[in-house]
Structure formats: structure tokens, C-alpha cells
Amino acid sequence: MKIPKEMDAIEVAKPGKPSGMKLARRPVPKPGQGEVLIKVAAAGVNRPDVMQRQGKYPPPPGASNILGLEVAGTVVAL
């Protein structure tokens, strides 16, 4: 499978209402040690995603501001 260079992602541009979320193009990350790359078929929004969007649950240092902690898909790289 050929892995694209970019992907679509929902990021938190600013905390607050749903208008604080925006669709963005991002480089496809390369998995590090102990990580996998998933071609996402479906994503869910859970409570931490909602709280992060509201500015009440910041991502850990060094983590992405991309929402979607729950996904289903196919592992395409290790």
C-alpha cells in the first residue's frame, strides 16, 4: 500500500464552540518505536475530545492538537 504524504485532520484552532475546530492538511506522521500508523476508516468523538475542544483538557506536552482519540481502520506501517 502506498502511504500518502498528507492527510486530513480535525484540529483545535482555538478552544470553545465547534467553530474552534477546523479541517487541516497535515503531513502523515511516521510511526516511532512501539507505534503504528493507521489508515482511519472511522473516528469517534469522546469526552476527552470534547473537553480538549473546550480548552478544559490540554493534550500532554508534545502531543498533537488533532482530535479523534477513538479510531477504527487498518494498520499500514509499524
Side-chain angles (χ1 to χ4, degrees):
M1 164 181 264
K2 185 173 189 249
I3 298 172
K5 293 185 187 291
E6 291 188 318
M7 65 181 188
D8 290 328
I10 301 296
E11 64 183 15
V12 177
K14 60 183 180 185
K17 297 182 179 182
S19 60
M21 297 183 297
K22 69 175 191 172
L23 181 63
R25 294 289 293 168
R26 293 276 188 95
V28 172
K30 301 224 182 317
Q33 183 70 29
E35 296 179 332
V36 298
L37 179 65
I38 301 170
K39 180 179 180 186
V40 176
V45 176
N46 62 23
R47 184 170 173 82
D49 289 317
V50 172
M51 291 179 68
Q52 183 177 343
R53 183 192 54 78
Q54 294 172 337
K56 298 176 182 174
Y57 185 77
S64 166
N65 66 340
I66 296 174
L67 296 180
L69 294 172
E70 296 178 354
V71 300
T74 305
V75 173
V76 295
L78 301 173

